[in-house]
Amino acid sequence: MYAVDFDYYRAGSLADAQKLLGDHPGAKLLAGGHSLIPLMKLRLAAPPAVVDIGRVAELRGVTLSGAAVRIGALTTHTELAASADLGRAAPALAETAAQLGDPTVRNRGTIGGNIAHADPASDLPTVLVALDARINVVGPSGHRTIDAAKFFTGLMTTSLEENEIVTSIDVPVAQPGRGSAYVKFSHPASRYAVIGAAAAITLSGGTCSSVSVAIGGLVAHARRLPSVERALTDQAPSESVVAKAAAAVAADLGRDVSGDIFASAEYRTAVAPVYVKRALLAAAARASAR
Amino acid sequence: MTVAVEPARVFGSGIRRREDPRLLTGTARYTDDIVLPGLAHAAILRSPHAHALIMRIDTSRARTAPGVLGVFTAADTDGILTPIPCCWLLPGSKLKTTPYHPLAKDAVQYVGDPVAVVVAESPYQAQDALELIDVEYEPLPAVVDPQKAAQQGAPALHAEAPDNVAFHWTVTGGDVDAAFKCADVIVRERIVQQRLIPNAMETRGAVAQFVPATGELTLWNTTQNPHIVRFVMSLVTGIPEDRLRVIAPEVGGGFGSKIAQIPGDFITVFCSMKLGRPVKWTETRTENYQSTTHGRDHVQEVELAATRDGRVTGLRCTVWAGMGGYLSTAAPGIPTILHGLMLSGPYTIPAVKEDVYGVYTNTTPVEAYRGAGRPEATFMLERMMDRLADEIGLDPVDVRRRNIIPPFQNGHDVITGLKYDSGNYEGALAKVLEHVSYDALRAEQKAARDKGRYIGIGVSLYVEICGLGPSQVAGAVGFQGGLWESAIVRFHPSGKVNVFIGASPHGQGEETTFAQIVADELGVAVTDVKVVHGDTDATPMGWGTYGSRTTAVGGAALAIATRKIKDKAKLLASHLLEAAVEDIDYSSGRFFVRGVPDRHKTIQDIALMANVAWNMPEGMEAGLEATSFYDPPNFTYPFGAHVAVVEVDPETGHVTLKRYVAVDDCGPQINPVIVEGQVHGGVVQGIGQALWEEAVYDDTGQLLTGSLADYAIPRADMLPDIEVLSTVTPSPHHPLGVKGIGEAGTIASTCTVYNAVIDALEPFKVQSVRMPLTPERVWRAIREGAERGAGAPPLDTLGAP
Amino acid sequence: MDITGTYTFDAAADAVWTLLMDTSAIAGCVPGCRELRPDGNDRYRAELSVPVAAVTGQFDATIALEDKVQPRSYTLVVQATGRPGFVRGQAAVTLTPDNERTTVQVTAHADVGGAIARVGQRLLEGAARMMMDRFFECLRRKLGD
């Protein structure tokens, strides 16, 4: 576990980080280091330089502002799990952060690093896509905001341009009648999601006025499930209705599911509706309780 | 002088482990913590191919890399290192060893086979230079499955064994063919005991310091048996044993993976010999997964014959045991002596036969892993008991009761030729069933099933062979060493005691339990006893810590040494008290004249007098210490009965372990808290095999579970509280009656959990699922059962929320 | 590891075949291809630098086109060796005309060794799919140019 030689730079500010990235082609950003460092130690990654943004204060913190919670990119999973504001505004996200990886990962790993790495089996992307989160980034051509559903574009691939940095994530504040949940099939070794399903449901008058559901872990990147959403919208979320809607996941996944030695594509495809169903039922139960 | 009075008898009390403060505060010193002046660092280049010819190795670029002190290949070791010997040469098995070179010579036999080594000033430089070595391989077809490797036409690994069969060993008892001919019922199953990775928390490693001026080698090595390391290292390097010192510092777990000597140890010593500098090598975790020995890896075809009323009449099986690319130190003995001889377990079975084929495959060598052969034997038997129960419609407990060996206190002859020491299997079974309220549990299971919930109950008995063992037997079965232990117990003038033992505990807690034995025998405070182990220059010879033998054999040596001390102390007391030795009584560390307790000497008084030697009886030597060598007259046979309760999610195939109860009998317990800890760890490792763990190779021999991200070991949040109970049946032949507990939990727990899962799937008529019981495998078994119909719940009813 | 893919091209089979045999098109579309040079008949040597997130696989590869049945089918044989490991793969490619369009069916088997197999197995299938998709998407775009 000895990395290849690299140069280390510590950024004092966001502007400093941008400059360092510009000055050192091929440099990688280091936040919590729980994705990058293992790859470097295994010598699967050998960047010539690392720009450590871990102490850039402007990237930290969770703040509630009107209709959204803004989560600084350097917020650790433990901080997400402990944030009272987030617990009220987007409980599914806080809960997800609490069950991610293990305590060491949660104490060091950051939401910005997590989504920029875009591991297909990561939990947070799935929840962010379901919750209609927006990713704020800054790069050589300035600031821009990307919908979470458009941010993740492929296996460990995002729509971040060269030298763009994730600065924060905006998550809409849940309104009364809205409930959300994340249900996960956790890999017994890595604790990554073999399947992760996130759902958000708004109930009005006993029916689902809005449904958003996303899935991750079994496809190259977290994605919405429009067929399931359509099947449940304007329906009362009874168990049988939800189960029937969840079965539509097959139409949304098509042949895009990948398997591995632990769980084949066929199995993942077959049990994905169970997790979607459970996430929807949990979200609906919370929606009716709010 | 006052005598320290223990609140209660220290033998049997659950005092805290004295090892823990240093372990828990991070101040323990492991092999990788050893830093010496001028220390250089080795990194080993390993084959990425499972099977290939080495056509060419070009080390020229690596040699000139920054910081590099030396780059070596097999050619450099000629005349310096001999091949690594296999130390368990089974007689009558046509055993074929092959040259096992520390650095591969012409061909590589598994992914991870060492090809070259770099020594550099820093580990970073060593790793950098490793990438500059060019090796040209010619890949060959590989084979990883032991049964396939033994078939005709399989790729052959070694010229010495063109059919890949390293040995064929057989055990028979009674007329098994006749038993099958007239059986009412025969049940058959093919069982795969998947390959496991031991996962000691500390990976393997070594620090070697060879001093050319004296020809002396000091080797710090993370091992379970430093004296064996010294013996074998001397054979391979030619360094005389008297100039070879092996130190096992703190050792972070072994589970069998630190018995064998692996190429890295010899390579490290070789580098120090070549360079005249101390050299360190420490495995990374992914390196450990390829280079340190694995466990299990059996394919078993088992058949059991019985009468219609559930009496077992015969057991017949064939086992293909994967050996990996080379025969590791003790490998041949594990699927044979430690497995086949335990075939009939706690039951009376009139006829048995087992054929074991040890098979070379293009995989990491296989060795002992906690339980070593016995879990694989127990699994076969306990699985077949459930199959028989299912076949004849009896409760699994009833079938077991019809075949169980009745209680015995002093020897019971077994069909395989062993003589069990003592046992009360019915007692352990009754205790576990009572604890779980077995009948009520079955009723709960039925009620849950009616609601579409699939609860399963698993029951297993076990008896294991431990306390290895009489050396005469070791010799007879081809073990190339003895199996006795020795101990020195030494009183210092101040009355404090040092124990020096050859056994080498590495986490089990014998620094504590051995002190308890001494304190109990000699009447000193347990805090006045310090146990020294793990340094061949400081301790007498011992054959190591494995096979649940440290307390059973080393502890006996210790008890006998203390009794010798007591005998001498009594003579000295009679001299000092001016009374006839027949009139001296002993109680709790005091020698006194019978009927006159005030006329006494404490053991500390006597220790002082013996050490200053101002007033010794005629002919008595100074000092108060004793050495003993204990070679057990028989093995010990701990046993127990376990119950597991699981629930299966029929929609996803997930198994939840709801309850685990272990009743174990290891004889009298020196420290019940340590016993409980050993049972916890053992049970969990066995559960790991049932539910999560497997070293997966693809067909080309690539190890796909090469890190802890893919190889799943149990974690606390995956498990229920483990309920640990015990019965006590002393061993009749052991000075303390103790039997050993290190492996007990592992031996029964795999099959107990497996049986519980199959029991949960009973409505689907599932009889066999390959381990580990991953959600996908269980889910498929449920689907296949439902599709077969035969009364199974239809698929669309499985939609429990 | 076995993966399959189906790609539809808006062109006749002959045109798709020509594209699939076009060295410069292949060089431009193999993900991370830095250099592709002929090495005998229907054989090429390539230098690949394949980035997936922070991981960059540097490979020396040989690519061979075998069993060519113009314009119906061929087998693509790839051997690549690099720092993170090695890949030996072959893909059976069949072209099926469908009116004015052509469906390209790929059935591939790959053996992967070294560090990427040891520590990256859960991502291999997804990564292989992504590479294959990128390759054929790129070719499809070239056809549109």
Side-chain angles (χ1 to χ4, degrees):
Chain A
M1 300 294 271
Y2 297 98
V4 177
D5 266 2
F6 60 93
D7 294 328
Y8 171 88
Y9 301 95
R10 181 184 294 158
S13 66
L14 192 53
D16 192 17
Q18 285 179 271
K19 182 174 184 314
L20 286 165
L21 280 182
D23 290 349
H24 301 283
K28 285 283 171 194
L29 279 184
L30 177 72
H34 273 51
S35 299
L36 180 63
I37 300 290
L39 290 173
M40 291 173 66
K41 285 186 160 191
L42 290 164
R43 298 199 164 205
L44 290 173
V50 162
V51 175
D52 183 355
I53 55 170
R55 301 185 196 200
V56 176
E58 60 206 280
L59 296 178
R60 302 201 83 92
V62 178
T63 49
L64 187 62
S65 58
V69 185
R70 175 156 292 187
I71 303 165
L74 282 183
T75 308
T76 65
H77 309 312
T78 297
E79 288 163 354
L80 288 179
S83 163
D85 282 341
L86 196 63
R88 279 188 296 274
L93 185 57
E95 282 169 11
T96 305
Q99 57 173 291
L100 188 152
D102 54 44
T104 314
V105 169
R106 293 196 288 273
N107 286 339
R108 295 289 306 174
T110 67
I111 187 170
N114 179 288
I115 66 172
H117 187 64
D119 191 297
S122 194
D123 301 301
L124 295 178
T126 309
V127 182
L128 295 175
V129 168
L131 296 182
D132 290 318
R134 291 157 68 79
I135 320 293
N136 299 309
V137 307
V138 63
S141 40
H143 290 267
R144 65 183 182 121
T145 298
I146 310 163
D147 288 343
K150 291 187 177 140
F151 181 82
F152 304 101
T153 58
L155 182 121
M156 299 179 127
T157 310
T158 66
S159 52
L160 283 173
E161 300 288 343
E162 186 84 8
N163 291 349
E164 272 188 329
I165 302 173
V166 175
T167 56
S168 63
I169 295 99
D170 293 334
V171 182
V173 173
Q175 301 305 311
R178 189 166 173 84
S180 59
Y182 179 65
V183 177
K184 174 184 182 181
F185 176 169
S186 181
H187 189 282
S190 67
R191 301 283 164 113
Y192 273 122
V194 175
I195 300 170
I201 288 177
T202 305
L203 282 180
S204 45
T207 62
C208 302
S209 58
S210 102
V211 179
S212 69
V213 55
I215 201 159
L218 73 179
V219 282
H221 60 88
R223 59 154 89 160
R224 292 283 282 264
L225 300 170
S227 304
V228 179
E229 293 174 355
R230 272 196 303 277
L232 193 57
T233 304
D234 297 332
Q235 304 284 318
S238 72
E239 201 175 311
S240 60
V241 166
V242 168
K244 210 169 148 197
V249 70
D252 290 322
L253 293 175
R255 291 162 50 82
D256 295 346
V257 177
S258 291
D260 72 351
I261 54 169
F262 176 72
S264 69
E266 184 194 357
Y267 168 69
R268 291 183 203 226
T269 307
V271 299
V274 178
Y275 290 90
V276 171
K277 176 184 74 178
R278 290 176 186 181
L280 287 167
L281 287 173
R286 286 176 181 174
S288 63
R290 279 173 74 101
Chain B
M1 186 176 284
T2 55
V3 178
V5 179
E6 298 295 327
R9 193 181 163 196
V10 68
F11 186 106
S13 80
I15 59 171
R16 287 195 178 158
R17 286 168 27 119
R18 57 177 55 180
E19 292 89 339
D20 289 341
R22 65 177 193 263
L23 295 174
L24 297 178
T25 57
T27 46
R29 221 160 74 117
Y30 297 87
T31 298
D32 192 53
D33 296 321
I34 306 294
V35 176
L36 302 169
L39 185 65
H41 299 267
I44 296 172
L45 184 69
R46 296 179 179 279
S47 169
H49 298 285
H51 196 196
L53 299 175
I54 300 170
M55 308 308 288
R56 186 180 59 86
I57 305 177
D58 181 355
T59 59
S60 55
R61 285 196 300 150
R63 282 174 201 279
T64 56
V68 169
L69 302 166
V71 183
F72 307 108
T73 66
D76 300 299
T77 67
D78 281 343
I80 301 176
L81 299 183
T82 67
I84 305 168
C86 174
C87 300
W88 203 329
L89 306 174
L90 288 173
S93 69
K94 301 194 181 75
L95 184 105
K96 300 172 194 86
T97 59
T98 65
Y100 182 7
H101 298 288
L103 285 162
K105 263 193 154 58
D106 306 313
V108 289
Q109 305 291 358
Y110 62 95
V111 167
D113 209 349
V115 171
V117 58
V118 172
V119 186
E121 297 286 356
S122 87
Y124 288 89
Q125 290 168 327
Q127 202 65 42
D128 288 344
L130 220 53
E131 296 189 1
L132 302 176
I133 300 174
D134 293 315
V135 186
E136 191 186 315
Y137 296 98
E138 188 178 312
L140 299 171
V143 62
V144 299
D145 176 283
Q147 194 177 15
K148 285 183 186 156
Q151 282 165 3
Q152 266 207 329
L157 277 75
H158 301 287
E160 295 82 355
D163 58 358
N164 293 325
V165 175
F167 57 84
H168 173 200
W169 180 89
T170 302
V171 60
T172 53
D175 189 346
V176 81
D177 293 333
F180 275 85
K181 237 175 245 159
C182 46
D184 296 345
V185 183
I186 296 175
V187 284
R188 297 188 170 87
E189 191 159 321
R190 182 173 185 274
I191 297 165
V192 177
Q193 300 279 343
Q194 78 274 25
R195 175 183 284 257
L196 303 178
I197 297 177
N199 274 298
M201 204 183 292
E202 179 203 20
T203 59
R204 292 203 49 157
V207 176
Q209 183 172 37
F210 182 76
V211 180
T214 61
E216 291 179 15
L217 172 73
T218 306
L219 174 66
W220 290 262
N221 197 196
T222 173
T223 175
Q224 297 175 220
N225 29 248
H227 291 275
I228 295 183
V229 170
R230 181 179 60 181
F231 184 25
V232 177
M233 187 60 72
S234 171
L235 292 174
V236 172
T237 60
I239 299 170
E241 260 188 292
D242 58 306
R243 300 189 188 181
L244 212 163
R245 176 182 183 190
V246 177
I247 301 170
E250 200 77 65
V251 174
F255 313 117
S257 75
K258 292 174 182 171
I259 297 173
Q261 283 176 271
I262 59 174
D265 299 332
F266 301 100
I267 293 169
T268 308
V269 168
F270 166 79
C271 290
S272 183
M273 291 167 77
K274 285 293 275 193
L275 298 170
R277 281 181 61 168
V279 176
K280 177 189 284 183
W281 163 70
T282 304
E283 282 179 339
T284 65
R285 182 63 61 183
T286 49
E287 185 181 21
N288 172 266
Y289 272 29
Q290 306 162 60
S291 94
T292 286
T293 52
H294 294 174
R296 312 282 190 262
D297 198 23
H298 287 197
V299 177
Q300 307 170 328
E301 288 183 355
V302 195
E303 44 187 0
L304 179 136
T307 61
R308 179 60 57 191
D309 64 355
R311 277 171 223 288
V312 178
T313 52
L315 180 68
R316 190 161 61 184
C317 30
T318 306
V319 171
W320 292 266
M323 292 288 108
Y326 306 93
L327 282 185
S328 181
T329 308
I334 292 157
T336 53
I337 306 305
L338 298 179
H339 171 81
L341 296 183
M342 294 308 296
L343 215 52
S344 59
Y347 307 110
T348 300
I349 300 181
V352 297
K353 178 167 196 284
E354 185 181 47
D355 284 279
V356 180
Y357 296 92
V359 187
Y360 289 114
T361 60
N362 294 111
T363 56
T364 296
V366 176
E367 252 285 350
Y369 173 57
R370 202 171 190 169
R374 288 148 288 171
E376 299 95 310
T378 301
F379 192 106
M380 291 196 305
L381 190 56
E382 293 299 315
R383 183 65 212 128
M384 297 319 279
M385 284 290 172
D386 266 27
R387 287 295 304 276
L388 176 61
D390 186 45
E391 185 70 25
I392 61 176
L394 269 186
D395 187 280
V397 168
D398 293 333
V399 165
R400 285 170 170 80
R401 281 198 163 130
R402 284 180 197 193
N403 295 285
I404 205 164
I405 299 170
F408 57 97
Q409 279 81 47
N410 200 1
H412 176 86
D413 289 317
V414 186
I415 190 76
T416 55
L418 297 174
K419 190 185 198 73
Y420 293 171
D421 57 349
S422 61
N424 182 358
Y425 310 136
E426 177 58 47
L429 179 61
K431 185 158 188 173
V432 78
L433 295 178
E434 188 196 336
H435 182 79
V436 300
S437 306
Y438 184 71
D439 293 337
L441 200 55
R442 284 285 176 202
E444 276 173 47
Q445 175 187 34
K446 188 174 179 315
R449 206 169 272 177
D450 293 342
K451 291 184 200 143
R453 287 178 57 201
Y454 296 88
I455 307 271
I457 303 162
V459 182
S460 288
L461 295 175
Y462 76 92
V463 55
E464 56 163 333
I465 180 170
C466 284
L468 318 182
S471 298
Q472 201 181 350
V473 176
V477 299
F479 183 69
Q480 302 296 296
L483 282 172
W484 48 268
E485 286 298 323
S486 64
I488 297 170
V489 178
R490 177 179 299 154
F491 263 100
H492 299 294
S494 59
K496 310 293 183 189
V497 183
N498 267 141
V499 171
F500 304 89
I501 53 157
S504 199
H506 44 278
Q508 295 89 345
E510 276 100 352
E511 286 177 32
T512 305
T513 53
F514 281 1
Q516 287 178 267
I517 292 174
V518 172
D520 184 66
E521 292 280 340
L522 294 176
V524 297
V526 71
T527 47
D528 283 351
V529 185
K530 162 116 199 284
V531 177
V532 177
H533 62 88
D535 180 346
T536 59
D537 268 12
T539 63
M541 178 67 189
W543 290 93
T545 290
Y546 44 82
S548 304
R549 68 186 298 277
T550 304
T551 303
V553 186
L558 189 54
I560 290 168
T562 59
R563 289 170 193 178
K564 286 187 185 175
I565 283 187
K566 223 151 61 179
D567 290 344
K568 179 173 179 180
K570 193 173 183 182
L571 290 176
L572 189 48
S574 90
H575 175 72
L576 295 171
L577 294 167
E578 295 174 344
V581 71
E582 299 80 25
D583 294 334
I584 300 293
D585 275 351
Y586 168 83
S587 174
S588 305
R590 286 164 165 249
F591 295 88
F592 55 93
V593 180
R594 183 165 311 125
V596 196
D598 283 352
R599 272 185 72 199
H600 74 269
K601 293 284 175 191
T602 65
I603 188 89
Q604 288 85 356
D605 297 335
I606 292 169
L608 179 61
M609 287 315 295
N611 274 287
V612 296
W614 292 338
N615 179 12
M616 301 293 278
E618 185 77 25
M620 182 181 279
E621 292 177 349
L624 188 60
E625 73 171 69
T627 302
S628 74
F629 296 82
Y630 179 76
D631 201 340
N634 188 6
F635 300 94
T636 58
Y637 294 89
F639 59 90
H642 290 196
V643 169
V645 182
V646 302
E647 180 164 359
V648 174
D649 178 344
E651 282 192 297
T652 63
H654 269 91
V655 174
T656 305
L657 184 57
K658 298 178 81 72
R659 201 165 170 200
Y660 198 94
V661 185
V663 173
D664 297 290
D665 192 323
C666 58
Q669 299 181 4
I670 301 163
N671 185 322
V673 175
I674 289 180
V675 168
E676 190 173 348
Q678 287 293 308
V679 172
H680 278 192
V683 163
V684 167
Q685 281 184 309
I687 295 169
Q689 178 177 5
L691 297 182
W692 300 297
E693 299 189 36
E694 180 173 19
V696 179
Y697 283 94
D698 71 9
D699 290 341
T700 68
Q702 292 295 326
L703 177 62
L704 299 180
T705 49
S707 79
L708 282 161
D710 282 303
Y711 188 93
I713 54 175
R715 304 191 207 181
D717 65 358
M718 297 150 90
L719 299 158
D721 284 340
I722 294 160
E723 299 160 63
V724 178
L725 295 87
S726 56
T727 56
V728 177
T729 307
S731 174
H733 65 69
H734 189 279
L736 301 168
V738 304
K739 293 190 170 189
I741 192 64
E743 294 159 296
T746 323
I747 287 166
S749 61
T750 306
C751 197
T752 307
V753 170
Y754 183 93
N755 279 345
V757 174
I758 300 294
D759 183 54
L761 301 179
E762 194 272 331
F764 303 99
K765 307 287 176 254
V766 172
Q767 291 186 323
S768 167
V769 183
R770 197 187 185 288
M771 290 190 290
L773 303 171
T774 63
E776 176 165 1
R777 287 178 181 154
V778 173
W779 177 86
R780 285 186 186 280
I782 291 172
R783 259 75 208 150
E784 285 158 16
E787 279 158 19
R788 276 196 304 270
L795 275 179
D796 58 9
T797 62
L798 302 182
Chain C
M1 175 177 54
D2 294 296
I3 51 169
T4 59
T6 306
Y7 306 91
T8 305
F9 288 75
D10 280 328
D14 280 327
V16 176
W17 179 269
T18 306
L19 179 70
L20 290 172
M21 298 297 135
D22 178 349
T23 316
S24 69
I26 296 172
C29 286
V30 169
C33 185
R34 290 189 162 168
E35 197 193 338
L36 184 84
R37 50 180 199 283
D39 181 38
N41 202 16
D42 283 335
R43 283 177 60 86
Y44 306 93
R45 295 187 82 83
E47 271 180 43
L48 310 178
S49 174
V50 187
V52 179
V55 179
T56 299
Q58 306 278 357
F59 294 101
D60 287 328
T62 62
I63 298 171
L65 307 176
E66 297 179 356
D67 308 326
K68 280 161 65 172
V69 183
Q70 186 178 351
R72 287 282 173 268
S73 63
Y74 67 101
T75 304
L76 186 70
V77 181
V78 179
Q79 301 215 25
T81 311
R83 178 189 255 166
F86 57 83
V87 181
R88 289 193 296 255
Q90 49 182 339
V93 184
T94 56
L95 288 66
T96 311
D98 176 12
N99 295 324
E100 291 307 295
R101 309 164 90 192
T102 303
T103 302
V104 176
Q105 179 86 35
V106 187
T107 305
H109 174 82
D111 292 323
V112 181
I116 41 175
R118 228 162 19 245
V119 300
Q121 73 79 22
R122 78 185 167 88
L123 296 169
L124 284 180
E125 198 176 308
R129 252 167 206 280
M130 181 170 75
M131 297 299 155
M132 196 161 89
D133 287 349
R134 280 191 194 167
F135 177 66
F136 285 101
E137 295 300 337
C138 169
L139 285 176
R140 196 148 59 184
R141 278 198 302 276
K142 283 208 185 299
L143 199 64
D145 289 347

